[in-house]
PDB file of all heavy atoms in Angstrom:
ATOM      1  N   PHE A 102     126.683 169.505 -19.674  1.00 91.00           N
ATOM      2  CA  PHE A 102     128.087 169.916 -19.617  1.00 91.00           C
ATOM      3  C   PHE A 102     128.617 169.636 -18.179  1.00 91.00           C
ATOM      4  O   PHE A 102     129.824 169.135 -18.043  1.00 91.00           O
ATOM      5  CB  PHE A 102     128.257 171.315 -19.893  1.00 91.00           C
ATOM      6  CG  PHE A 102     128.335 171.653 -21.369  1.00 91.00           C
ATOM      7  CD1 PHE A 102     127.409 172.373 -21.881  1.00 91.00           C
ATOM      8  CD2 PHE A 102     129.360 171.177 -22.158  1.00 91.00           C
ATOM      9  CE1 PHE A 102     127.450 172.648 -23.278  1.00 91.00           C
ATOM     10  CE2 PHE A 102     129.464 171.355 -23.506  1.00 91.00           C
ATOM     11  CZ  PHE A 102     128.487 172.113 -24.046  1.00 91.00           C
ATOM     12  N   SER A 111     137.249 163.167 -12.045  1.00 92.00           N
ATOM     13  CA  SER A 111     137.631 161.905 -11.763  1.00 92.00           C
ATOM     14  C   SER A 111     138.814 161.355 -12.521  1.00 92.00           C
ATOM     15  O   SER A 111     139.790 160.711 -11.936  1.00 92.00           O
ATOM     16  CB  SER A 111     136.513 160.841 -11.933  1.00 92.00           C
ATOM     17  OG  SER A 111     136.024 160.700 -13.256  1.00 92.00           O
ATOM     18  N   LEU A 209     165.056 156.982 -15.573  1.00 88.00           N
ATOM     19  CA  LEU A 209     164.142 156.451 -16.541  1.00 88.00           C
ATOM     20  C   LEU A 209     162.856 155.900 -15.938  1.00 88.00           C
ATOM     21  O   LEU A 209     161.789 156.017 -16.526  1.00 88.00           O
ATOM     22  CB  LEU A 209     164.780 155.344 -17.413  1.00 88.00           C
ATOM     23  CG  LEU A 209     166.085 155.716 -18.162  1.00 88.00           C
ATOM     24  CD1 LEU A 209     166.625 154.547 -18.804  1.00 88.00           C
ATOM     25  CD2 LEU A 209     165.709 156.799 -19.056  1.00 88.00           C
ATOM     26  N   ARG A 257     121.857 193.124 -33.607  1.00 91.00           N
ATOM     27  CA  ARG A 257     122.739 194.276 -33.354  1.00 91.00           C
ATOM     28  C   ARG A 257     122.495 195.230 -34.496  1.00 91.00           C
ATOM     29  O   ARG A 257     122.489 196.409 -34.355  1.00 91.00           O
ATOM     30  CB  ARG A 257     124.175 193.881 -33.356  1.00 91.00           C
ATOM     31  CG  ARG A 257     125.182 194.988 -33.133  1.00 91.00           C
ATOM     32  CD  ARG A 257     126.692 194.539 -33.145  1.00 91.00           C
ATOM     33  NE  ARG A 257     126.954 193.721 -32.070  1.00 91.00           N
ATOM     34  CZ  ARG A 257     127.188 192.395 -32.077  1.00 91.00           C
ATOM     35  NH1 ARG A 257     127.078 191.788 -33.451  1.00 91.00           N
ATOM     36  NH2 ARG A 257     127.385 191.729 -31.060  1.00 91.00           N
ATOM     37  N   ASP A 265     119.302 204.800 -34.728  1.00 88.00           N
ATOM     38  CA  ASP A 265     119.446 205.861 -35.740  1.00 88.00           C
ATOM     39  C   ASP A 265     118.125 206.630 -35.940  1.00 88.00           C
ATOM     40  O   ASP A 265     118.035 207.856 -36.027  1.00 88.00           O
ATOM     41  CB  ASP A 265     120.022 205.426 -37.082  1.00 88.00           C
ATOM     42  CG  ASP A 265     121.549 204.983 -36.889  1.00 88.00           C
ATOM     43  OD1 ASP A 265     122.143 205.388 -35.839  1.00 88.00           O
ATOM     44  OD2 ASP A 265     122.068 204.223 -37.676  1.00 88.00           O
ATOM     45  N   PRO A 279     111.288 223.920 -28.427  1.00 77.00           N
ATOM     46  CA  PRO A 279     111.923 223.782 -29.754  1.00 77.00           C
ATOM     47  C   PRO A 279     111.894 225.243 -30.346  1.00 77.00           C
ATOM     48  O   PRO A 279     111.174 226.094 -30.117  1.00 77.00           O
ATOM     49  CB  PRO A 279     110.732 222.942 -30.468  1.00 77.00           C
ATOM     50  CG  PRO A 279     110.117 222.211 -29.335  1.00 77.00           C
ATOM     51  CD  PRO A 279     110.118 223.154 -28.142  1.00 77.00           C
ATOM     52  N   ASP A 289      98.013 216.470 -28.138  1.00 83.00           N
ATOM     53  CA  ASP A 289      97.028 215.451 -28.316  1.00 83.00           C
ATOM     54  C   ASP A 289      95.800 215.713 -27.279  1.00 83.00           C
ATOM     55  O   ASP A 289      96.022 215.815 -26.185  1.00 83.00           O
ATOM     56  CB  ASP A 289      97.536 214.100 -28.029  1.00 83.00           C
ATOM     57  CG  ASP A 289      96.606 212.901 -28.487  1.00 83.00           C
ATOM     58  OD1 ASP A 289      95.505 213.257 -28.792  1.00 83.00           O
ATOM     59  OD2 ASP A 289      97.125 211.735 -28.507  1.00 83.00           O
ATOM     60  N   VAL A 408      97.922 201.347 -10.746  1.00 32.00           N
ATOM     61  CA  VAL A 408      98.593 201.937  -9.624  1.00 32.00           C
ATOM     62  C   VAL A 408      98.403 201.175  -8.417  1.00 32.00           C
ATOM     63  O   VAL A 408      99.212 201.057  -7.494  1.00 32.00           O
ATOM     64  CB  VAL A 408      98.233 203.357  -9.492  1.00 32.00           C
ATOM     65  CG1 VAL A 408      96.756 203.530  -9.112  1.00 32.00           C
ATOM     66  CG2 VAL A 408      99.117 204.042  -8.381  1.00 32.00           C
ATOM     67  N   HIS A 417     105.016 194.810   0.873  1.00 35.00           N
ATOM     68  CA  HIS A 417     104.742 193.352   1.275  1.00 35.00           C
ATOM     69  C   HIS A 417     104.184 192.437   0.305  1.00 35.00           C
ATOM     70  O   HIS A 417     103.705 191.312   0.723  1.00 35.00           O
ATOM     71  CB  HIS A 417     103.904 193.395   2.584  1.00 35.00           C
ATOM     72  CG  HIS A 417     104.480 194.305   3.651  1.00 35.00           C
ATOM     73  ND1 HIS A 417     105.735 194.020   4.371  1.00 35.00           N
ATOM     74  CD2 HIS A 417     103.958 195.434   4.112  1.00 35.00           C
ATOM     75  CE1 HIS A 417     105.806 195.004   5.276  1.00 35.00           C
ATOM     76  NE2 HIS A 417     104.888 195.844   5.105  1.00 35.00           N
ATOM     77  N   GLY A 589      96.572 189.770  12.216  1.00 92.00           N
ATOM     78  CA  GLY A 589      95.257 190.386  12.360  1.00 92.00           C
ATOM     79  C   GLY A 589      94.310 189.476  13.102  1.00 92.00           C
ATOM     80  O   GLY A 589      94.548 188.277  13.116  1.00 92.00           O
ATOM     81  N   ARG A 604      77.802 192.789  14.607  1.00 82.00           N
ATOM     82  CA  ARG A 604      78.752 193.288  13.613  1.00 82.00           C
ATOM     83  C   ARG A 604      80.203 192.967  13.980  1.00 82.00           C
ATOM     84  O   ARG A 604      80.510 192.986  15.269  1.00 82.00           O
ATOM     85  CB  ARG A 604      78.619 194.795  13.402  1.00 82.00           C
ATOM     86  CG  ARG A 604      77.350 195.261  12.674  1.00 82.00           C
ATOM     87  CD  ARG A 604      77.314 196.699  12.614  1.00 82.00           C
ATOM     88  NE  ARG A 604      77.097 197.293  13.950  1.00 82.00           N
ATOM     89  CZ  ARG A 604      77.297 198.692  14.099  1.00 82.00           C
ATOM     90  NH1 ARG A 604      77.313 199.458  13.026  1.00 82.00           N
ATOM     91  NH2 ARG A 604      77.222 199.144  15.351  1.00 82.00           N
ATOM     92  N   GLU A 611     101.271 195.372  12.816  1.00 90.00           N
ATOM     93  CA  GLU A 611     102.677 194.825  12.331  1.00 90.00           C
ATOM     94  C   GLU A 611     103.493 194.627  13.719  1.00 90.00           C
ATOM     95  O   GLU A 611     103.716 195.487  14.444  1.00 90.00           O
ATOM     96  CB  GLU A 611     103.277 195.953  11.564  1.00 90.00           C
ATOM     97  CG  GLU A 611     104.682 195.377  11.034  1.00 90.00           C
ATOM     98  CD  GLU A 611     105.342 196.432  10.199  1.00 90.00           C
ATOM     99  OE1 GLU A 611     104.961 197.595  10.145  1.00 90.00           O
ATOM    100  OE2 GLU A 611     106.454 196.078   9.516  1.00 90.00           O
ATOM    101  N   VAL A 625      96.836 180.100  23.603  1.00 86.00           N
ATOM    102  CA  VAL A 625      96.955 179.779  24.937  1.00 86.00           C
ATOM    103  C   VAL A 625      95.968 180.555  25.847  1.00 86.00           C
ATOM    104  O   VAL A 625      95.397 180.028  26.727  1.00 86.00           O
ATOM    105  CB  VAL A 625      98.450 180.032  25.330  1.00 86.00           C
ATOM    106  CG1 VAL A 625      98.613 179.827  26.940  1.00 86.00           C
ATOM    107  CG2 VAL A 625      99.370 179.203  24.577  1.00 86.00           C
TER     108      VAL A 625
END
Side-chain angles (χ1 to χ4, degrees):
F102 276 117
S111 64
L209 298 180
R257 183 184 294 108
D265 294 338
D289 192 348
V408 65
H417 305 290
R604 291 178 298 173
E611 183 181 11
V625 173

